[in-house]
Amino acid sequence: MPTLILVRHGRSTANTEGLLAGWTPGVALDERGSAQAAALPGRLAELPLAEIVASPLQRCQETIRPLLEARPELKPHTDERIGECHYGDWSGRKLAELKDEPLMEVVQAHPSAAAFPGGESMRAMQTRAAEAVREWNARVERDHGADAVYLMCSHGDIIKSLVAEALGLHLDLFQRISVEPCSITAIRYTRLRPFLVRLGDTGDFTSLVPREDPPGDDAQVGGGAGAP
């Protein structure tokens, strides 16, 4: 079965403003995110990508644009099932404000029980994304062969949930996974089991430098802004 390259979108204006974007329209890449996207073709130059699939949200579409310009033979596909979690009434709100909501404790410690008001549950988010990957695996293998490599550009919580699913981890453990903006995660699927071969690879270790304001114990819902 194919190898899936998961790319989180580049840093967005919502990331730098500390907002939980969700499906809020008009959330674009910021200056750093655009630079991250511009570097993506070089980072992936050695990979013979068979297909490119992206979330319909603007920040993902902008992230894959330089890659598509570098590989004009590839036609992009859009799949809503790998779009961001539907955070409902939480969308567009400040993360600093949301941390005091009682639901945030559930999101952090027991995400399989978390459902966002006016939105979807985290279990539903994982289920739709995993179904999309299974269908695309079959399609890519049918059209390009079992050794094909293809790319999906998606969002932090989606990618974390797919990694958890591939590793056989309960969704309640997915907050232990971190993927920074424009990081690359690779999962090689086989008949018996998936193999996680890259996780959140940015090629940049800046985010590991100790900070004056450490990130704290909570996972960053939506994925966070990455290195300062």
Side-chain angles (χ1 to χ4, degrees):
M1 295 178 71
T3 295
L4 170 60
I5 307 299
L6 288 162
V7 176
R8 185 182 167 202
H9 61 79
R11 196 174 75 175
S12 73
T13 53
N15 293 146
T16 48
E17 292 170 11
L19 300 176
L20 186 62
W23 285 70
T24 305
V27 176
L29 298 183
D30 68 6
E31 185 176 353
R32 179 169 184 162
S34 296
Q36 290 170 333
L40 200 55
R43 294 170 63 196
L44 298 172
E46 301 300 318
L47 293 181
L49 297 176
E51 302 281 3
I52 295 179
V53 188
S55 156
L57 293 173
Q58 180 178 338
R59 52 199 183 273
C60 285
Q61 296 291 322
E62 290 180 353
T63 298
I64 63 168
R65 189 173 299 153
L67 187 58
L68 293 168
E69 291 172 354
R71 303 196 189 199
E73 74 280 4
L74 291 175
K75 304 302 178 188
H77 304 275
T78 297
D79 194 323
E80 291 197 355
R81 294 174 296 177
I82 62 167
E84 182 62 284
C85 184
H86 290 276
Y87 295 116
D89 297 344
W90 279 26
S91 299
R93 292 178 62 187
K94 287 275 190 184
L95 287 163
E97 167 191 317
L98 290 169
K99 70 180 178 61
D100 295 325
E101 293 278 354
L103 178 61
M104 182 59 85
E105 185 178 6
V106 183
V107 170
Q108 292 291 329
H110 192 20
S112 66
F116 295 97
E120 69 180 335
S121 69
M122 302 200 93
R123 283 184 294 120
M125 173 200 73
Q126 183 186 45
T127 297
R128 62 173 165 86
E131 287 177 351
V133 167
R134 282 190 286 272
E135 288 183 21
W136 276 101
N137 281 348
R139 176 172 172 175
V140 169
E141 181 171 2
R142 181 196 68 206
D143 295 345
H144 303 284
D147 294 328
V149 179
Y150 75 106
L151 180 145
M152 282 185 168
C153 183
S154 188
H155 306 265
D157 282 348
I158 294 286
I159 294 172
K160 288 164 55 178
S161 74
L162 289 171
V163 169
E165 199 261 352
L167 292 175
L169 295 177
H170 197 283
L171 185 61
D172 285 346
L173 301 179
F174 101 125
Q175 297 289 30
R176 302 183 183 196
I177 299 166
S178 176
V179 288
E180 292 195 6
C182 224
S183 63
I184 293 172
T185 294
I187 301 172
R188 179 166 60 87
Y189 289 88
T190 74
R191 185 173 62 87
L192 296 180
R193 64 183 67 84
F195 291 89
L196 179 65
V197 293
R198 291 287 189 281
L199 176 61
D201 188 345
T202 63
D204 179 1
F205 296 102
T206 307
S207 64
L208 302 181
V209 175
R211 306 183 194 178
E212 292 183 5
D213 182 21
D217 296 332
D218 285 345
Q220 297 187 45
V221 181

Tab-separated table of all heavy atoms in Angstrom, residues 132-187:
chain	number	residue	atom	x	y	z
A	132	ALA	N	-11.093	8.974	4.937
A	132	ALA	CA	-10.518	9.616	3.749
A	132	ALA	C	-9.185	8.970	3.390
A	132	ALA	O	-8.918	8.675	2.213
A	132	ALA	CB	-10.338	11.113	3.991
A	133	VAL	N	-8.328	8.745	4.379
A	133	VAL	CA	-7.029	8.131	4.114
A	133	VAL	C	-7.198	6.727	3.556
A	133	VAL	O	-6.517	6.345	2.583
A	133	VAL	CB	-6.164	8.120	5.392
A	133	VAL	CG1	-4.942	7.214	5.225
A	133	VAL	CG2	-5.721	9.537	5.742
A	134	ARG	N	-8.089	5.947	4.116
A	134	ARG	CA	-8.300	4.578	3.603
A	134	ARG	C	-8.752	4.602	2.140
A	134	ARG	O	-8.271	3.816	1.315
A	134	ARG	CB	-9.315	3.833	4.474
A	134	ARG	CG	-8.732	3.312	5.779
A	134	ARG	CD	-9.680	2.375	6.489
A	134	ARG	NE	-10.784	3.087	7.101
A	134	ARG	CZ	-10.762	3.592	8.326
A	134	ARG	NH1	-9.680	3.473	9.076
A	134	ARG	NH2	-11.814	4.203	8.837
A	135	GLU	N	-9.660	5.505	1.826
A	135	GLU	CA	-10.152	5.580	0.447
A	135	GLU	C	-9.056	6.061	-0.503
A	135	GLU	O	-8.917	5.545	-1.618
A	135	GLU	CB	-11.373	6.491	0.379
A	135	GLU	CG	-12.606	5.864	1.008
A	135	GLU	CD	-13.836	6.747	0.864
A	135	GLU	OE1	-13.838	7.624	-0.039
A	135	GLU	OE2	-14.788	6.561	1.642
A	136	TRP	N	-8.267	7.053	-0.069
A	136	TRP	CA	-7.189	7.547	-0.920
A	136	TRP	C	-6.070	6.513	-1.064
A	136	TRP	O	-5.472	6.387	-2.131
A	136	TRP	CB	-6.655	8.877	-0.390
A	136	TRP	CG	-7.476	10.028	-0.866
A	136	TRP	CD1	-8.438	10.717	-0.181
A	136	TRP	CD2	-7.454	10.602	-2.176
A	136	TRP	NE1	-9.007	11.681	-0.962
A	136	TRP	CE2	-8.419	11.644	-2.194
A	136	TRP	CE3	-6.715	10.349	-3.319
A	136	TRP	CZ2	-8.653	12.421	-3.333
A	136	TRP	CZ3	-6.943	11.131	-4.461
A	136	TRP	CH2	-7.897	12.139	-4.453
A	137	ASN	N	-5.798	5.756	-0.018
A	137	ASN	CA	-4.814	4.678	-0.141
A	137	ASN	C	-5.209	3.705	-1.251
A	137	ASN	O	-4.386	3.318	-2.093
A	137	ASN	CB	-4.693	3.907	1.176
A	137	ASN	CG	-3.838	4.606	2.207
A	137	ASN	OD1	-3.147	5.570	1.903
A	137	ASN	ND2	-3.895	4.130	3.440
A	138	ALA	N	-6.473	3.308	-1.249
A	138	ALA	CA	-6.953	2.362	-2.260
A	138	ALA	C	-6.905	2.984	-3.657
A	138	ALA	O	-6.503	2.321	-4.635
A	138	ALA	CB	-8.376	1.922	-1.922
A	139	ARG	N	-7.288	4.229	-3.760
A	139	ARG	CA	-7.291	4.904	-5.066
A	139	ARG	C	-5.880	5.077	-5.611
A	139	ARG	O	-5.624	4.811	-6.795
A	139	ARG	CB	-7.976	6.265	-4.915
A	139	ARG	CG	-7.982	7.125	-6.161
A	139	ARG	CD	-8.845	8.351	-5.938
A	139	ARG	NE	-8.740	9.301	-7.034
A	139	ARG	CZ	-9.474	10.416	-7.121
A	139	ARG	NH1	-10.359	10.695	-6.174
A	139	ARG	NH2	-9.333	11.238	-8.149
A	140	VAL	N	-4.959	5.499	-4.741
A	140	VAL	CA	-3.577	5.715	-5.184
A	140	VAL	C	-2.928	4.392	-5.573
A	140	VAL	O	-2.223	4.302	-6.588
A	140	VAL	CB	-2.771	6.441	-4.079
A	140	VAL	CG1	-1.284	6.433	-4.393
A	140	VAL	CG2	-3.266	7.876	-3.922
A	141	GLU	N	-3.171	3.354	-4.789
A	141	GLU	CA	-2.606	2.049	-5.136
A	141	GLU	C	-3.167	1.542	-6.465
A	141	GLU	O	-2.434	1.016	-7.300
A	141	GLU	CB	-2.883	1.035	-4.027
A	141	GLU	CG	-2.280	-0.337	-4.327
A	141	GLU	CD	-2.367	-1.292	-3.154
A	141	GLU	OE1	-2.931	-0.919	-2.104
A	141	GLU	OE2	-1.858	-2.421	-3.290
A	142	ARG	N	-4.450	1.742	-6.672
A	142	ARG	CA	-5.076	1.313	-7.934
A	142	ARG	C	-4.507	2.053	-9.130
A	142	ARG	O	-4.208	1.451	-10.169
A	142	ARG	CB	-6.588	1.567	-7.847
A	142	ARG	CG	-7.386	1.144	-9.080
A	142	ARG	CD	-8.751	1.790	-9.057
A	142	ARG	NE	-8.668	3.242	-9.243
A	142	ARG	CZ	-9.581	4.101	-8.781
A	142	ARG	NH1	-10.628	3.684	-8.092
A	142	ARG	NH2	-9.430	5.405	-9.015
A	143	ASP	N	-4.315	3.362	-8.985
A	143	ASP	CA	-3.905	4.186	-10.127
A	143	ASP	C	-2.395	4.275	-10.319
A	143	ASP	O	-1.927	4.528	-11.433
A	143	ASP	CB	-4.467	5.606	-9.972
A	143	ASP	CG	-5.987	5.641	-10.039
A	143	ASP	OD1	-6.587	4.641	-10.488
A	143	ASP	OD2	-6.573	6.666	-9.632
A	144	HIS	N	-1.634	4.088	-9.223
A	144	HIS	CA	-0.189	4.348	-9.308
A	144	HIS	C	0.683	3.213	-8.786
A	144	HIS	O	1.908	3.304	-8.880
A	144	HIS	CB	0.142	5.636	-8.537
A	144	HIS	CG	-0.606	6.836	-9.007
A	144	HIS	ND1	-0.281	7.515	-10.167
A	144	HIS	CD2	-1.694	7.476	-8.489
A	144	HIS	CE1	-1.120	8.525	-10.333
A	144	HIS	NE2	-1.979	8.530	-9.324
A	145	GLY	N	0.081	2.196	-8.207
A	145	GLY	CA	0.862	1.072	-7.713
A	145	GLY	C	1.069	1.098	-6.211
A	145	GLY	O	0.917	2.138	-5.554
A	146	ALA	N	1.442	-0.063	-5.670
A	146	ALA	CA	1.540	-0.233	-4.223
A	146	ALA	C	2.675	0.567	-3.600
A	146	ALA	O	2.662	0.828	-2.394
A	146	ALA	CB	1.706	-1.712	-3.888
A	147	ASP	N	3.674	0.955	-4.372
A	147	ASP	CA	4.823	1.680	-3.819
A	147	ASP	C	4.705	3.190	-4.006
A	147	ASP	O	5.675	3.920	-3.769
A	147	ASP	CB	6.122	1.191	-4.483
A	147	ASP	CG	6.427	-0.255	-4.148
A	147	ASP	OD1	6.071	-0.681	-3.036
A	147	ASP	OD2	7.006	-0.955	-5.000
A	148	ALA	N	3.552	3.663	-4.403
A	148	ALA	CA	3.367	5.090	-4.673
A	148	ALA	C	3.446	5.918	-3.396
A	148	ALA	O	3.201	5.437	-2.282
A	148	ALA	CB	2.025	5.319	-5.363
A	149	VAL	N	3.808	7.184	-3.583
A	149	VAL	CA	3.860	8.161	-2.483
A	149	VAL	C	2.900	9.296	-2.841
A	149	VAL	O	2.934	9.812	-3.957
A	149	VAL	CB	5.290	8.723	-2.311
A	149	VAL	CG1	5.327	9.752	-1.184
A	149	VAL	CG2	6.289	7.596	-2.050
A	150	TYR	N	2.060	9.679	-1.901
A	150	TYR	CA	1.171	10.812	-2.162
A	150	TYR	C	1.124	11.715	-0.948
A	150	TYR	O	1.575	11.346	0.136
A	150	TYR	CB	-0.224	10.352	-2.593
A	150	TYR	CG	-1.119	9.792	-1.505
A	150	TYR	CD1	-2.194	10.532	-1.018
A	150	TYR	CD2	-0.918	8.513	-0.980
A	150	TYR	CE1	-3.046	10.028	-0.040
A	150	TYR	CE2	-1.757	8.002	-0.005
A	150	TYR	CZ	-2.817	8.752	0.466
A	150	TYR	OH	-3.644	8.254	1.440
A	151	LEU	N	0.595	12.920	-1.129
A	151	LEU	CA	0.659	13.950	-0.091
A	151	LEU	C	-0.731	14.462	0.251
A	151	LEU	O	-1.563	14.663	-0.630
A	151	LEU	CB	1.544	15.100	-0.577
A	151	LEU	CG	1.760	16.302	0.355
A	151	LEU	CD1	3.185	16.849	0.179
A	151	LEU	CD2	0.742	17.423	0.079
A	152	MET	N	-0.953	14.677	1.538
A	152	MET	CA	-2.144	15.363	2.028
A	152	MET	C	-1.713	16.570	2.839
A	152	MET	O	-0.846	16.450	3.717
A	152	MET	CB	-2.994	14.452	2.917
A	152	MET	CG	-3.835	13.442	2.180
A	152	MET	SD	-4.889	12.531	3.362
A	152	MET	CE	-6.001	11.723	2.195
A	153	CYS	N	-2.295	17.724	2.564
A	153	CYS	CA	-2.037	18.933	3.347
A	153	CYS	C	-3.250	19.184	4.233
A	153	CYS	O	-4.363	19.395	3.727
A	153	CYS	CB	-1.771	20.128	2.439
A	153	CYS	SG	-1.355	21.637	3.357
A	154	SER	N	-3.040	19.136	5.536
A	154	SER	CA	-4.164	19.204	6.463
A	154	SER	C	-3.809	20.061	7.673
A	154	SER	O	-2.993	20.984	7.574
A	154	SER	CB	-4.582	17.777	6.854
A	154	SER	OG	-5.778	17.779	7.602
A	155	HIS	N	-4.394	19.738	8.823
A	155	HIS	CA	-4.352	20.574	10.012
A	155	HIS	C	-3.818	19.782	11.208
A	155	HIS	O	-3.823	18.557	11.207
A	155	HIS	CB	-5.753	21.106	10.311
A	155	HIS	CG	-6.379	21.805	9.149
A	155	HIS	ND1	-6.322	23.171	8.964
A	155	HIS	CD2	-7.055	21.316	8.073
A	155	HIS	CE1	-6.938	23.501	7.837
A	155	HIS	NE2	-7.396	22.394	7.279
A	156	GLY	N	-3.404	20.527	12.243
A	156	GLY	CA	-2.749	19.909	13.379
A	156	GLY	C	-3.529	18.792	14.036
A	156	GLY	O	-3.016	17.674	14.203
A	157	ASP	N	-4.774	19.050	14.423
A	157	ASP	CA	-5.544	18.026	15.124
A	157	ASP	C	-5.879	16.850	14.209
A	157	ASP	O	-5.942	15.706	14.664
A	157	ASP	CB	-6.820	18.628	15.719
A	157	ASP	CG	-6.557	19.403	17.010
A	157	ASP	OD1	-5.438	19.279	17.554
A	157	ASP	OD2	-7.461	20.125	17.475
A	158	ILE	N	-6.099	17.120	12.935
A	158	ILE	CA	-6.355	16.038	11.987
A	158	ILE	C	-5.135	15.130	11.887
A	158	ILE	O	-5.237	13.896	11.975
A	158	ILE	CB	-6.710	16.602	10.592
A	158	ILE	CG1	-8.043	17.353	10.635
A	158	ILE	CG2	-6.734	15.493	9.551
A	158	ILE	CD1	-9.264	16.474	10.731
A	159	ILE	N	-3.965	15.718	11.707
A	159	ILE	CA	-2.742	14.922	11.541
A	159	ILE	C	-2.443	14.147	12.819
A	159	ILE	O	-2.100	12.953	12.773
A	159	ILE	CB	-1.564	15.822	11.126
A	159	ILE	CG1	-1.824	16.392	9.726
A	159	ILE	CG2	-0.243	15.052	11.158
A	159	ILE	CD1	-0.824	17.440	9.276
A	160	LYS	N	-2.575	14.782	13.961
A	160	LYS	CA	-2.354	14.081	15.227
A	160	LYS	C	-3.294	12.887	15.369
A	160	LYS	O	-2.889	11.811	15.823
A	160	LYS	CB	-2.542	15.050	16.388
A	160	LYS	CG	-1.424	16.065	16.540
A	160	LYS	CD	-1.815	17.243	17.426
A	160	LYS	CE	-2.301	16.805	18.792
A	160	LYS	NZ	-2.633	17.978	19.654
A	161	SER	N	-4.547	13.048	14.983
A	161	SER	CA	-5.509	11.949	15.105
A	161	SER	C	-5.184	10.817	14.140
A	161	SER	O	-5.379	9.635	14.466
A	161	SER	CB	-6.939	12.455	14.879
A	161	SER	OG	-7.203	12.732	13.522
A	162	LEU	N	-4.659	11.140	12.959
A	162	LEU	CA	-4.264	10.115	12.002
A	162	LEU	C	-3.026	9.353	12.474
A	162	LEU	O	-2.916	8.135	12.272
A	162	LEU	CB	-4.018	10.732	10.625
A	162	LEU	CG	-5.262	11.219	9.892
A	162	LEU	CD1	-4.876	12.004	8.643
A	162	LEU	CD2	-6.178	10.039	9.525
A	163	VAL	N	-2.098	10.065	13.105
A	163	VAL	CA	-0.923	9.399	13.677
A	163	VAL	C	-1.362	8.440	14.787
A	163	VAL	O	-0.906	7.289	14.856
A	163	VAL	CB	0.083	10.431	14.209
A	163	VAL	CG1	1.175	9.761	15.036
A	163	VAL	CG2	0.701	11.211	13.050
A	164	ALA	N	-2.255	8.902	15.651
A	164	ALA	CA	-2.746	8.045	16.722
A	164	ALA	C	-3.421	6.802	16.151
A	164	ALA	O	-3.194	5.675	16.630
A	164	ALA	CB	-3.717	8.820	17.611
A	165	GLU	N	-4.221	6.999	15.122
A	165	GLU	CA	-4.917	5.863	14.502
A	165	GLU	C	-3.923	4.882	13.901
A	165	GLU	O	-4.052	3.660	14.046
A	165	GLU	CB	-5.878	6.384	13.429
A	165	GLU	CG	-6.969	5.406	13.042
A	165	GLU	CD	-6.650	4.655	11.769
A	165	GLU	OE1	-5.663	4.993	11.097
A	165	GLU	OE2	-7.398	3.713	11.446
A	166	ALA	N	-2.885	5.390	13.251
A	166	ALA	CA	-1.880	4.530	12.634
A	166	ALA	C	-1.098	3.732	13.678
A	166	ALA	O	-0.714	2.584	13.440
A	166	ALA	CB	-0.923	5.364	11.791
A	167	LEU	N	-0.855	4.345	14.838
A	167	LEU	CA	-0.093	3.681	15.896
A	167	LEU	C	-0.962	2.804	16.796
A	167	LEU	O	-0.442	2.148	17.707
A	167	LEU	CB	0.624	4.727	16.754
A	167	LEU	CG	1.751	5.507	16.069
A	167	LEU	CD1	2.291	6.588	17.009
A	167	LEU	CD2	2.872	4.573	15.650
A	168	GLY	N	-2.261	2.795	16.554
A	168	GLY	CA	-3.148	2.027	17.411
A	168	GLY	C	-3.336	2.655	18.779
A	168	GLY	O	-3.670	1.981	19.753
A	169	LEU	N	-3.140	3.975	18.861
A	169	LEU	CA	-3.320	4.685	20.128
A	169	LEU	C	-4.770	5.113	20.301
A	169	LEU	O	-5.416	5.544	19.343
A	169	LEU	CB	-2.441	5.932	20.181
A	169	LEU	CG	-0.926	5.757	20.194
A	169	LEU	CD1	-0.249	7.122	20.174
A	169	LEU	CD2	-0.489	4.973	21.418
A	170	HIS	N	-5.264	5.027	21.503
A	170	HIS	CA	-6.589	5.562	21.805
A	170	HIS	C	-6.569	7.060	21.564
A	170	HIS	O	-5.554	7.738	21.808
A	170	HIS	CB	-6.951	5.259	23.255
A	170	HIS	CG	-8.402	5.396	23.554
A	170	HIS	ND1	-9.013	6.627	23.726
A	170	HIS	CD2	-9.383	4.471	23.712
A	170	HIS	CE1	-10.304	6.447	23.983
A	170	HIS	NE2	-10.553	5.148	23.988
A	171	LEU	N	-7.689	7.599	21.098
A	171	LEU	CA	-7.768	9.034	20.839
A	171	LEU	C	-7.441	9.853	22.085
A	171	LEU	O	-6.947	10.983	21.978
A	171	LEU	CB	-9.159	9.398	20.306
A	171	LEU	CG	-9.366	10.857	19.883
A	171	LEU	CD1	-8.410	11.245	18.750
A	171	LEU	CD2	-10.810	11.097	19.466
A	172	ASP	N	-7.680	9.304	23.263
A	172	ASP	CA	-7.376	10.035	24.489
A	172	ASP	C	-5.878	10.305	24.656
A	172	ASP	O	-5.488	11.119	25.491
A	172	ASP	CB	-7.883	9.267	25.707
A	172	ASP	CG	-9.393	9.352	25.857
A	172	ASP	OD1	-10.008	10.212	25.192
A	172	ASP	OD2	-9.968	8.557	26.617
A	173	LEU	N	-5.048	9.643	23.869
A	173	LEU	CA	-3.603	9.849	23.950
A	173	LEU	C	-3.076	10.765	22.847
A	173	LEU	O	-1.894	11.076	22.824
A	173	LEU	CB	-2.875	8.506	23.881
A	173	LEU	CG	-3.223	7.496	24.980
A	173	LEU	CD1	-2.447	6.199	24.767
A	173	LEU	CD2	-2.927	8.064	26.358
A	174	PHE	N	-3.943	11.226	21.951
A	174	PHE	CA	-3.437	11.962	20.793
A	174	PHE	C	-2.891	13.339	21.144
A	174	PHE	O	-2.105	13.905	20.394
A	174	PHE	CB	-4.501	12.013	19.695
A	174	PHE	CG	-5.283	13.309	19.579
A	174	PHE	CD1	-5.328	13.975	18.361
A	174	PHE	CD2	-6.008	13.839	20.636
A	174	PHE	CE1	-6.052	15.148	18.212
A	174	PHE	CE2	-6.735	15.004	20.502
A	174	PHE	CZ	-6.748	15.672	19.274
A	175	GLN	N	-3.276	13.881	22.311
A	175	GLN	CA	-2.744	15.179	22.710
A	175	GLN	C	-1.272	15.101	23.102
A	175	GLN	O	-0.634	16.139	23.314
A	175	GLN	CB	-3.553	15.760	23.879
A	175	GLN	CG	-5.019	16.053	23.559
A	175	GLN	CD	-5.212	17.248	22.623
A	175	GLN	OE1	-4.366	17.542	21.795
A	175	GLN	NE2	-6.345	17.916	22.743
A	176	ARG	N	-0.703	13.897	23.174
A	176	ARG	CA	0.721	13.753	23.452
A	176	ARG	C	1.573	13.942	22.193
A	176	ARG	O	2.802	13.942	22.272
A	176	ARG	CB	0.995	12.371	24.053
A	176	ARG	CG	0.221	12.092	25.333
A	176	ARG	CD	0.571	10.746	25.925
A	176	ARG	NE	-0.236	10.477	27.114
A	176	ARG	CZ	0.052	9.525	28.007
A	176	ARG	NH1	1.126	8.772	27.852
A	176	ARG	NH2	-0.728	9.336	29.055
A	177	ILE	N	0.926	14.075	21.052
A	177	ILE	CA	1.608	14.211	19.767
A	177	ILE	C	1.663	15.689	19.395
A	177	ILE	O	0.714	16.438	19.639
A	177	ILE	CB	0.860	13.400	18.684
A	177	ILE	CG1	0.831	11.921	19.053
A	177	ILE	CG2	1.487	13.593	17.308
A	177	ILE	CD1	-0.164	11.097	18.240
A	178	SER	N	2.761	16.112	18.791
A	178	SER	CA	2.912	17.513	18.381
A	178	SER	C	3.363	17.587	16.928
A	178	SER	O	4.292	16.878	16.527
A	178	SER	CB	3.936	18.209	19.284
A	178	SER	OG	4.164	19.534	18.856
A	179	VAL	N	2.696	18.421	16.148
A	179	VAL	CA	3.104	18.668	14.759
A	179	VAL	C	3.089	20.174	14.514
A	179	VAL	O	2.063	20.823	14.644
A	179	VAL	CB	2.209	17.930	13.736
A	179	VAL	CG1	2.473	16.435	13.764
A	179	VAL	CG2	0.726	18.203	13.958
A	180	GLU	N	4.238	20.739	14.189
A	180	GLU	CA	4.354	22.178	13.992
A	180	GLU	C	3.894	22.584	12.590
A	180	GLU	O	3.745	21.737	11.706
A	180	GLU	CB	5.804	22.613	14.210
A	180	GLU	CG	6.266	22.497	15.642
A	180	GLU	CD	7.549	23.259	15.888
A	180	GLU	OE1	8.019	23.979	14.981
A	180	GLU	OE2	8.081	23.146	17.000
A	181	PRO	N	3.688	23.886	12.367
A	181	PRO	CA	3.311	24.360	11.036
A	181	PRO	C	4.311	23.924	9.969
A	181	PRO	O	5.523	23.990	10.157
A	181	PRO	CB	3.298	25.885	11.196
A	181	PRO	CG	2.957	26.094	12.636
A	181	PRO	CD	3.664	24.994	13.359
A	182	CYS	N	3.791	23.464	8.866
A	182	CYS	CA	4.534	23.008	7.694
A	182	CYS	C	5.477	21.846	8.010
A	182	CYS	O	6.441	21.604	7.280
A	182	CYS	CB	5.297	24.152	7.025
A	182	CYS	SG	5.124	24.110	5.213
A	183	SER	N	5.187	21.116	9.085
A	183	SER	CA	5.970	19.914	9.383
A	183	SER	C	5.497	18.771	8.495
A	183	SER	O	4.372	18.760	7.985
A	183	SER	CB	5.838	19.537	10.854
A	183	SER	OG	4.496	19.220	11.180
A	184	ILE	N	6.398	17.800	8.322
A	184	ILE	CA	6.130	16.643	7.475
A	184	ILE	C	6.053	15.394	8.340
A	184	ILE	O	6.962	15.108	9.118
A	184	ILE	CB	7.216	16.488	6.400
A	184	ILE	CG1	7.154	17.659	5.415
A	184	ILE	CG2	7.083	15.155	5.663
A	184	ILE	CD1	8.306	17.695	4.429
A	185	THR	N	4.960	14.666	8.211
A	185	THR	CA	4.761	13.385	8.874
A	185	THR	C	4.530	12.344	7.786
A	185	THR	O	3.797	12.615	6.827
A	185	THR	CB	3.554	13.452	9.830
A	185	THR	OG1	3.853	14.364	10.890
A	185	THR	CG2	3.217	12.097	10.412
A	186	ALA	N	5.165	11.202	7.899
A	186	ALA	CA	5.037	10.172	6.861
A	186	ALA	C	4.593	8.855	7.483
A	186	ALA	O	5.153	8.408	8.492
A	186	ALA	CB	6.365	9.987	6.126
A	187	ILE	N	3.590	8.256	6.871
A	187	ILE	CA	3.075	6.959	7.310
A	187	ILE	C	3.104	6.013	6.110
A	187	ILE	O	2.521	6.315	5.067
A	187	ILE	CB	1.636	7.071	7.853
A	187	ILE	CG1	1.577	8.055	9.035
A	187	ILE	CG2	1.123	5.694	8.285
A	187	ILE	CD1	0.170	8.377	9.496
